């Protein structure tokens, strides 16, 4: 129910940092020199053989991931971080051993978790009365081929219905060891989401009750949404003419 100010929930935040104001300093845009540079992109699509027909062949852009934030994070972000760290300490786990870094970027907070502690952190976020992130709305896969040693990322989106808050958990794994623990035991609705992420990105969720492909055939080779997956395609016949598959029409690499 909305209050007199038109906001929702007990804390009137709509799950967004209440101290965030719309100003030129925090509107979405380039991160400048901050964060971690994972590659330099040249041209609109990264073409290097003259195949970029976008008109932006001379574009040079640094691709960066946001770096760790420093306190105070602002709004209720500090409260969530304090409660999570305190709850982990009560369980005998040093927060620095479980939380690789905390990122506040574009009005959102993300906790990067060491994969061996992922299940404990998720269960703490769900069960602690001061946190109560009861709902996980799914897991998304990301592939950064140039993020050496952590090319594969799994990103979980958590919502607290009790406190009307939204956060993310992110865990990474290298291509050479693409294993992260399954959260199905904590959030059962992740069953199909983890299967989809495994299918498309090749992330293996250890402990999943039935980790099989969900979209592609069981005998499909590779994982179609990885950046190193070939474009592929099927030739199409149209009124006697044949249109080649996309990867055979023009080379962009």
């Amino acid at each position: 129910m909305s209050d007199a100010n038109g906001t929702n929930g007990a804390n009137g935040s709509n799950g967004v940092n209440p101290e965030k104001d719309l100003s030129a300093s925090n509107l979405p845009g380039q991160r400048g020199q901050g964060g971690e540079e994972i590659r330099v992109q040249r041209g609109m699509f990264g073409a290097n053989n003259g195949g970029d027909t976008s008109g932006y062949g001379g574009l040079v852009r640094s691709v960066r991931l946001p770096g760790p934030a420093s306190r105070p994070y602002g709004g209720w972000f500090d409260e969530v971080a304090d409660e999570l760290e305190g709850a982990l300490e009560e369980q005998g786990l040093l927060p620095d051993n479980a939380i690789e870094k905390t990122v506040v970027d574009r009005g959102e907070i993300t906790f990067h978790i060491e994969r061996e502690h992922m299940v404990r952190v998720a269960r703490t976020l769900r069960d602690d009365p001061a946190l109560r992130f009861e709902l996980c709305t799914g897991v998304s896969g990301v592939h950064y081929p140039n993020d050496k040693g952590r090319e594969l990322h799994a990103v979980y989106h958590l919502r607290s219905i009790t406190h009307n808050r939204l956060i993310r958990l992110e865990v990474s794994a290298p291509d050479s060891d693409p294993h992260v623990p399954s959260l199905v035991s904590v959030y059962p609705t992740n069953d199909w989401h983890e299967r989809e992420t495994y299918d498309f990105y090749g992330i293996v969720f250890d402990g999943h009750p039935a980790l099989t492909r969900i979209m592609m055939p069981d005998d499909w080779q590779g994982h179609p949404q990885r950046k190193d997956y070939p474009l592929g395609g099927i030739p199409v016949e149209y009124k006697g003419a044949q249109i080649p598959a996309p990867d055979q029409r023009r080379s962009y690499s």
Side-chain angles (χ1 to χ4, degrees):
M1 179 178 294
S2 298
D3 60 20
N5 296 319
T7 54
N8 298 322
N11 58 5
S13 66
N14 263 337
V16 180
N17 182 359
E19 293 188 1
K20 175 186 176 183
D21 60 336
L22 292 178
S23 64
S25 63
N26 61 25
L27 289 175
Q30 295 294 331
R31 295 193 175 92
Q33 298 304 311
E36 306 169 56
E37 182 178 279
I38 58 173
R39 68 185 175 93
V40 175
Q41 178 168 312
R42 301 182 182 276
M44 181 66 74
F45 304 110
N48 55 22
N49 66 343
D52 189 341
T53 59
S54 67
Y56 291 90
L59 178 69
V60 178
R61 184 169 66 92
S62 175
V63 179
R64 296 176 178 271
L65 299 180
S70 57
R71 290 179 182 270
Y73 302 140
W76 52 263
F77 292 169
D78 291 282
E79 180 182 344
V80 170
D82 290 341
E83 293 291 349
L84 176 58
E85 292 176 5
L88 293 176
E89 288 178 343
E90 290 176 0
Q91 300 173 45
L93 177 61
L94 290 177
D96 288 345
N97 291 339
I99 304 173
E100 177 186 346
K101 63 180 178 179
T102 301
V103 173
V104 176
D105 185 57
R106 300 178 184 182
E108 299 174 331
I109 187 167
T110 303
F111 296 98
H112 290 248
I113 307 300
E114 298 289 349
R115 53 181 171 172
E116 60 266 28
H117 300 299
M118 190 67 179
V119 174
R120 179 183 291 192
V121 171
R123 185 173 288 114
T124 301
L125 286 166
R126 184 195 67 182
D127 295 344
D128 190 281
L131 297 168
R132 294 297 290 160
F133 285 90
E134 307 97 333
L135 178 64
C136 181
T137 58
V139 56
S140 303
V142 191
H143 184 216
Y144 297 111
N146 299 106
D147 193 13
K148 300 303 181 184
R150 50 181 189 179
E151 292 86 356
L152 295 168
H153 293 237
V155 184
Y156 293 84
H157 314 271
L158 306 185
R159 173 180 282 277
S160 171
I161 299 173
T162 299
H163 302 291
N164 191 28
R165 293 169 173 172
L166 292 169
I167 66 171
R168 280 198 298 264
L169 299 183
E170 186 166 340
V171 61
S172 62
D175 273 338
S176 58
D177 182 27
H179 292 262
V180 301
S182 170
L183 292 190
V184 172
S185 62
V186 182
Y187 297 108
T189 53
N190 273 343
D191 189 339
W192 284 19
H193 295 283
E194 289 183 355
R195 286 178 58 195
E196 183 179 43
T197 304
Y198 160 72
D199 193 353
F200 287 153
Y201 292 93
I203 300 175
V204 179
F205 293 92
D206 295 330
H208 190 283
L211 194 62
T212 58
R213 289 189 182 272
I214 193 170
M215 301 293 287
M216 309 305 292
D218 290 340
D219 59 352
W220 193 266
Q221 298 296 315
H223 304 280
Q225 289 190 355
R226 289 171 56 102
K227 295 293 194 301
D228 54 7
Y229 189 82
L231 183 60
I234 300 174
V236 178
E237 290 187 4
Y238 179 71
K239 291 186 177 180
Q242 187 179 67
I243 301 174
D247 62 334
Q248 298 170 10
R249 298 176 199 169
R250 182 191 296 270
S251 176
Y252 287 96
S253 61

